[in-house]
Amino acid sequence: MRALTWHGKHDVRMDTVPDPEIMNPRDAIIEVSSTAICGSDLHLFDGVIPGMVPGDILGHEFMGRVVEVGSASTLKKGQRVVVPFVISCGKCFFCERQLFAACDNSNPAEKQDLSEPLYGHAMSGLFGYSHLTGGYPGGQAEFVRVPFSDVGPIVVPDGLDDDQVLFLSDILPTGWMAAKNAEIEPGDTVAVWGCGPVGLFAIQSAFLQGAGKVIAIDEYPGRLALAKGLGADVIDFTQTRVREALMEMSGGMGPDAVIDAVGMESHGWAPDAIMDNLKQKIGIGADSAHALRQAIICVRKGGRVSIPGVYGGYLDKFPLGAVMEKGLQIRTGQTNVHKYLGELLHRIGEGEIDTTFLISHRLPLEDAVRGYQNFRYNQNEWTKVVLKPGTEVRA
Ligand SMILES: NC(=O)c1ccc[n+]([C@@H]2O[C@H](COP(=O)([O-])OP(=O)(O)OC[C@H]3O[C@@H](n4cnc5c(N)ncnc54)[C@H](O)[C@@H]3O)[C@@H](O)[C@H]2O)c1
Ligand SMILES: [Zn+2]
Ligand SMILES: [Zn+2]
């Protein structure tokens, strides 16, 4: 089959690779109909997440038809499913508590040593996201093996097209959980750093969860315009002093809750950002966290800090003093996708949530390399790329 594979920093390629096979009774094989490129994939593209091996198949946002099932799968051939990017067994201590992204059974034993020394505990399995998370082949491919297929995939009705449901795999529940973690109370002012797909869904979710005002921060006019379209007030951080603007827009108090939807590759020219970026470039520090530091400094006393953005290493210059002295709460984590699927699918079906407004480009899977390059280097215009296996590349 054809698949998008990683070969090093800024080097991804379309390759012909072996088709996946059923390995365990709970597996299913999915023929991918749509798959997307995520901001998390850019961290792999940029080489800032360790544990990648040349030839790894990327992709963790995908959906398609079931074409093969193991003897213990509850899926049926022909069903149309969306697959969570987090791989969860459904039965361990963590899955039973709906902490699906902390599943203890999905990262194979021989891979657990990679993340345990780093974090104290092994990470759970994720599709297409380095050997730290199990080294599972991802879904930017024609076919993909889905372990624990009796737990993860959600069957979607044919009445909803791919663009409406594809993002249930990751960024929609991620934006939703980001807002949940911000513990929004009716009328709250919520500030969101980053107007990529995760930030945009966090803005939409914050309003649905009762925010009175949402303030979105980014530098790209195209992305800020999408945030404005959702009803957010916007700040271009290259033109405006963010803290001063936020204070003014929140009655001099600071936002009640802040959401960092930027993660470990924050841009900017503040001294801490320059230091972080330099260290990241020479490989002696994984996280560039200017946006997170700024969010912590800006949030009001007693406020909530929600971090959907991905971080990987040992951050320095962390403003713990502000966290302590202002009495802040911080919540973060890979998304417990499975927990939110039912409710979000229902809201999509009812027309309460539109997932299609942020798709800027639909490309054939064969054009995936162009998709990565533009999603990385033309972020203003390329907000979200959906790849379609089996469609022709136009000359
Ligand atoms: N927690 C999870 O399970 C989960 C799931 C999906 C994605 N993520 C993470 O969420 C983050 C965002 O994902 P995305 O797909 O939206 O990525 P993206 O790269 O498309 O968007 C990031 C946005 O942040 C903006 N930005 C950069 N520096 C900034 C700053 N200093 N202030 C304000 N904005 C700034 C960029 O201009 C860009 O628009 C990534 O770190 C991604 O890995 C986490
Ligand atoms: Zn993702
Ligand atoms: Zn589990």
Side-chain angles (χ1 to χ4, degrees), residues 89-92 95 103-105:
C89 77
K91 295 183 176 166
C92 68
C95 286
C103 176
D104 238 354
N105 284 328

Side-chain angles (χ1 to χ4, degrees), residues 217-220 235-242 268-269:
I217 304 147
D218 204 300
E219 64 176 311
Y220 296 118
I235 296 175
D236 174 346
F237 71 80
T238 63
Q239 305 294 324
T240 309
R241 295 172 76 90
V242 173
W269 298 104

Side-chain angles (χ1 to χ4, degrees), residues 16-324:
T16 300
V17 301
D19 285 358
E21 289 173 5
I22 299 279
M23 291 168 68
N24 291 304
R26 292 170 73 185
D27 289 354
I29 306 288
I30 309 294
E31 180 174 18
V32 176
S33 57
S34 293
T35 174
I37 307 176
C38 179
S40 300
D41 292 325
L42 295 180
H43 304 321
L44 303 176
F45 185 68
D46 293 338
V48 297
I49 300 262
M52 293 297 292
V53 173
D56 282 350
I57 301 173
L58 300 189
H60 58 268
E61 301 183 0
F62 60 93
M63 63 175 294
R65 292 250 175 226
V66 179
V67 289
E68 241 185 288
V69 289
S71 58
S73 174
T74 48
L75 295 176
K76 294 184 182 59
K77 280 191 202 176
Q79 279 179 327
R80 189 162 160 259
V81 294
V82 179
V83 181
F85 77 98
V86 168
I87 305 174
S88 315
C89 77
K91 295 183 176 166
C92 68
F93 175 94
F94 300 100
C95 286
E96 275 182 352
R97 285 160 180 76
Q98 294 198 303
L99 297 168
F100 294 99
C103 176
D104 238 354
N105 284 328
S106 56
N107 194 345
E110 71 273 15
K111 308 265 180 188
Q112 298 204 350
D113 285 354
L114 292 171
S115 53
E116 201 178 296
L118 205 55
Y119 303 134
H121 296 84
M123 292 179 75
S124 62
L126 307 177
F127 287 100
Y129 216 74
S130 96
H131 292 257
L132 291 180
T133 66
Y136 288 95
Q140 286 161 5
E142 290 180 292
F143 298 93
V144 58
R145 176 176 80 92
V146 176
F148 303 127
S149 67
D150 52 324
V151 177
I154 184 166
V155 178
V156 289
D158 281 336
L160 296 173
D161 62 31
D162 278 23
D163 288 354
Q164 287 176 285
V165 291
L166 170 63
F167 302 139
L168 286 169
S169 56
D170 177 352
I171 52 172
L172 180 61
T174 295
W176 187 258
M177 186 168 115
K180 286 272 176 199
N181 280 347
E183 295 182 9
I184 297 164
E185 288 171 11
D188 269 357
T189 296
V190 180
V192 178
W193 274 254
C195 297
V198 170
L200 291 168
F201 280 143
I203 293 165
Q204 194 183 41
S205 301
F207 278 125
L208 283 167
Q209 291 175 30
K213 186 189 265 193
V214 179
I215 304 165
I217 304 147
D218 204 300
E219 64 176 311
Y220 296 118
R223 291 180 172 212
L224 288 169
L226 291 172
K228 222 174 191 168
L230 295 169
D233 295 324
V234 300
I235 296 175
D236 174 346
F237 71 80
T238 63
Q239 305 294 324
T240 309
R241 295 172 76 90
V242 173
R243 182 175 169 278
E244 286 73 359
L246 284 176
M247 290 299 278
E248 206 176 297
M249 293 159 95
S250 59
M253 220 161 63
D256 301 292
V258 291
I259 298 177
D260 166 11
V262 176
M264 64 194 291
E265 295 187 79
S266 180
H267 315 159
W269 298 104
D272 64 307
I274 294 171
M275 285 268 282
D276 287 341
N277 290 338
L278 196 70
K279 286 169 79 177
Q280 201 170 56
K281 273 210 168 62
I282 58 176
I284 57 162
D287 299 313
S288 185
H290 176 69
L292 174 59
R293 294 191 193 95
Q294 191 170 56
I296 289 171
I297 295 299
C298 291
V299 69
R300 72 156 163 81
K301 292 186 263 185
R304 285 91 57 190
V305 181
S306 163
I307 313 174
V310 162
Y311 291 89
Y314 285 69
L315 177 63
D316 55 15
K317 301 180 290 305
F318 183 74
L320 188 59
V323 175
M324 194 278 162

